[in-house]
Each structure stands twice: as structure tokens, then as C-alpha cells.
Amino acid sequence: MRQAGAYSGLLCGGVSGRTGPHSLPLARIKKIMKNSGEDVKMISGEAPIIFSKACELFIEELTRRSWIMAIQGKRRTLHKEDLASAVIATDIFDFLITLVSSSESHAVGGATNVMEVETIDCS
Amino acid sequence: MAISLPINSNNGDRVPNLVLRDKSKMPITNMMKIMSQILLNNVQVSYDTMDMIQQSATKYINFVTRKAKDRCQSECRKIMNAEDLLWAIEELGFNDYVEPLTTFIQRYRNIEGVDLFTTHKEPISHIENHGPSLGPEPNLMSTLEMLHPPQPPQVNSSQPKFSIIPNTNLEMLYPNEMSSTKIHLVLVVQMMFSTTLMFLLSSIMINIEMIIEEIQLQLTIMAMDYDIGNK
């Protein structure tokens, strides 16, 4: 008999009510998927379900790394700088550098140039 | 040299974007609940950070969806399914997500099959003992079978011949070995049951047809009475 693994609580943490067992609304996920490209036409019923859990894991990881940055800065409030630092420090979040740099466009000019250079290197 | 952010211009620039893109992003309440599971009680999140994480989640969905779409196009398929998304998530470097997502979708498929008989949404402990989980197609087939049971074939025989069956029993029982006797008995019982069932169904159909004819006669009589009443 196989024992319950570390992920046995995957289906128990959902938010009750409108979203049912899933923590994020499936209709909105499907809408975002269809808006991502004009060639995305048909999506199976399981794809939004996968994304509801994948987005949950993504948000958890992003929050955890941002919190680590906030703790290093001796603060108890998450700021955009913490999120930007977490995105820059992690390789799998490279697709968010454009979002972070555009949001930081009003910040220091030197930092913006550094981000642009990194963007060129990544692409 | 630290320069503070121009808060007013940010707030001024952000408001119309929020209004326009409100329905194309993740709802902020659900995301706060997810983040509160990670952060401690005394940790707060600023509004700008919340908005940025909201946009990050949307960008993540777009990023993975485009990658999955490339695989669909390379394989000449039009429907994007769960395996495409798992492949895309692994290709993009989120290797830690693949194992929990695989477990999640397997349990979801098991629960989706169980939902046909029960209404509770919690996972059952013995599901983990199952072998390979069923795919979506068998569930769909079972659902269709439940919704549309197959119609029994019409039996046009006026007099079913039951006299042949005893002879068949005798012929099948005596010359065969003992090991295959049970199998033949089961077959004979199945044949008798099917024949009896068809006979009963044909009788029911005949009764229904008679009832329909009576109803039509009654309707005709009522129509004639109605015409007489008018005149």
C-alpha cells in the first residue's frame, strides 16, 4: 500500500463557493488562454483545471521568493522592488523581466539600462 | 543614490488600465488567499505588488499557452489538452511543478469518475491504491451510456420457440467435460435470460401500442363531441 505523499493535500486546499474545489475561476483562465493568441481555438476541459493548480504553485513560489527579498531588506511589507529582485534572481522568471522593467520605467535610469541589457542577453 | 517613486503619476496612469483589464486578470481575492498560505500573519503586501503579481499570473498563462500551442501545431492537432500544458511547463523550466500537477490531474480524473455516483468532493484514501487512472474518454463513454441506454431490438417473432432450448441443454451437457460444464451452464442461463427479457419487452411494447390506439380513439371521440357542441 502506497503511503500518502507530500502532495496529498493538493485537492483539499480549494476555496469553497463559486470556484468549487479550485482556487481560481476556470472560466477566467479559459478566457486568458484564448486571449493569448488568435490561433488558440479549442481547449479541452482539463486544461483550465491544470492551470488553476499551476498558477497557484506559480503565485506561491513568486510570493515566497519576494518574501525572502523583503526579509533580507529587514522589512515586513512586500514592495515592487522585492518582486523585481526575485524575478531578476530567478532564471525561470525571465519572461517577467519585461513586465518588471516596464513597471520600473519611472525608477532609476541606470537600473533600467541594466535590465534592458539583461533582456537582450536572454533573448 | 535612492530616488523615490512618483506615486501620483503611477496611480494616475494605473487607474484606466485597471478598469479596462479588470476581467482579463486573475481575481485579487483568490490570489490573496493563496498568498496568505505562504506569508505569515504580520506580513503585508502593498497594492502595487499585488497588481504586479496579478499581471505576472496572466503573463504566465499566456507564456505556457503559447508554448503548448506550438506543440499542438507541430503535431497537427486542434484541441489543446492537459498533456500539452504539462509538456510546456516542463520545457519552460518549471520542472518542480510537473510532479504535483501530474498527481493532481490523476486524482481529478479518478474523482471525476466517482462523481457519477457520489457528490462529495474530497479525495478518497483508497484512490492511491488504484493502477493507471482512466482517461477522459472512458468516463465520457460511461456518461453517455448512462444518459442514453441502448434501445432493445424489436422482436417480430409471433411465437417464441422454447421447445428447442431443452434439447440444446441436453446436447450441451452430456458429451462435454466437467471443466467446461459450468461455462456452458452460464451461457445457457444467459441465453434463457435474454430470450425471456426480449419476450417481456415485446409484450410491453404491444401493450403500449394498444394504449396509444385507445388514446387516439378517445381523442377522436372528444373532437367529434366538440364539433357537435359548437354546432
Side-chain angles (χ1 to χ4, degrees):
Chain A
M1 179 177 178
R2 189 171 73 90
Q3 295 293 331
Y7 307 108
S8 62
L10 285 177
L11 298 174
C12 300
V15 179
S16 64
R18 185 169 56 94
T19 60
H22 310 290
S23 58
L24 295 168
L26 303 182
R28 199 167 293 196
I29 291 173
K30 196 167 185 180
K31 196 169 190 177
I32 293 169
M33 289 176 77
K34 291 199 171 182
N35 288 333
S36 68
E38 293 181 357
D39 54 347
V40 178
K41 294 179 180 178
M42 299 183 76
I43 299 168
S44 73
E46 289 180 342
I49 294 161
I50 285 279
F51 257 129
S52 69
K53 180 55 71 174
C55 279
E56 194 174 312
L57 297 174
F58 173 77
I59 292 165
E60 285 175 0
E61 184 170 358
L62 199 56
T63 305
R64 192 183 297 111
R65 292 178 186 274
S66 304
W67 186 28
I68 291 169
M69 295 295 171
I71 289 175
Q72 290 179 2
K74 304 293 193 301
R75 282 178 278 100
R76 288 186 176 179
T77 304
L78 293 186
H79 291 299
K80 288 198 296 184
E81 296 82 20
D82 303 325
L83 191 61
S85 302
V87 166
I88 292 168
T90 312
D91 291 336
I92 55 177
F93 294 152
D94 286 344
F95 66 98
L96 298 173
I97 285 179
T98 55
L99 177 69
V100 167
S101 61
S102 66
S103 180
E104 295 282 341
S105 61
H106 303 287
V108 183
T112 306
N113 292 331
V114 171
M115 288 179 187
E116 288 176 356
V117 170
E118 288 183 357
T119 305
I120 292 170
D121 290 339
C122 292
S123 65
Chain B
M1 297 173 63
I3 301 173
S4 63
L5 296 175
I7 299 172
N8 293 324
S9 64
N10 280 340
N11 292 332
D13 292 338
R14 202 173 298 274
V15 171
N17 291 331
L18 284 177
V19 172
L20 289 176
R21 296 171 57 185
D22 182 65
K23 292 186 177 179
S24 64
K25 292 190 292 184
M26 289 290 126
I28 205 164
T29 307
N30 301 64
M31 294 181 67
M32 281 301 298
K33 289 181 180 177
I34 294 170
M35 293 173 72
S36 64
Q37 296 173 6
I38 300 294
L39 303 171
L40 296 179
N41 291 327
N42 57 356
V43 178
Q44 297 177 359
V45 182
S46 67
Y47 183 74
D48 293 339
T49 307
M50 202 65 232
D51 179 63
M52 193 179 292
I53 292 178
Q54 224 176 351
Q55 296 183 37
S56 302
T58 303
K59 210 175 183 71
Y60 177 71
I61 292 177
N62 291 330
F63 194 51
V64 175
T65 303
R66 289 197 199 103
K67 191 72 177 179
K69 190 61 192 175
D70 292 341
R71 174 175 150 117
C72 286
Q73 286 180 342
S74 65
E75 296 184 358
C76 299
R77 281 191 284 104
K78 292 186 177 179
I79 300 176
M80 187 186 296
N81 52 27
E83 281 74 23
D84 296 327
L85 294 182
L86 291 174
W87 175 85
I89 286 169
E90 190 171 9
E91 283 290 315
L92 295 172
F94 297 92
N95 301 319
D96 297 335
Y97 296 4
V98 176
E99 183 181 350
L101 288 174
T102 306
T103 307
F104 176 79
I105 197 64
Q106 283 177 0
R107 293 190 181 186
Y108 183 83
R109 285 170 179 168
N110 288 326
I111 289 174
E112 195 177 37
V114 175
D115 278 343
L116 296 175
F117 308 100
T118 58
T119 57
H120 64 86
K121 296 293 183 181
E122 293 179 357
I124 304 170
S125 61
H126 70 269
I127 286 178
E128 296 177 358
N129 299 327
H130 286 179
S133 64
L134 295 175
E137 292 181 358
N139 291 332
L140 184 62
M141 291 300 294
S142 62
T143 307
L144 289 176
E145 287 175 359
M146 290 182 67
L147 291 176
H148 304 286
Q151 296 294 332
Q154 295 291 336
V155 180
N156 296 323
S157 63
S158 60
Q159 295 180 355
K161 301 176 181 178
F162 294 105
S163 61
I164 297 173
I165 293 176
N167 296 328
T168 309
N169 291 332
L170 294 176
E171 291 177 358
M172 292 175 68
L173 283 175
Y174 284 113
N176 293 320
E177 297 177 357
M178 293 299 294
S179 62
S180 62
T181 304
K182 292 182 180 179
I183 296 172
H184 288 290
L185 278 174
V186 171
L187 290 174
V188 170
V189 171
Q190 287 181 355
M191 290 171 63
M192 294 177 67
F193 181 76
S194 300
T195 308
T196 307
L197 189 64
M198 289 180 182
F199 179 72
L200 290 174
L201 287 173
S202 63
S203 301
I204 291 170
M205 290 300 294
I206 292 169
N207 290 330
I208 290 172
E209 290 174 0
M210 292 172 67
I211 291 168
I212 289 170
E213 290 177 358
E214 290 181 2
I215 291 171
Q216 289 176 351
L217 280 175
Q218 293 292 332
L219 289 174
T220 307
I221 293 169
M222 290 172 68
M224 293 173 66
D225 291 341
Y226 183 75
D227 291 338
I228 293 170
N230 279 340
K231 294 176 181 179

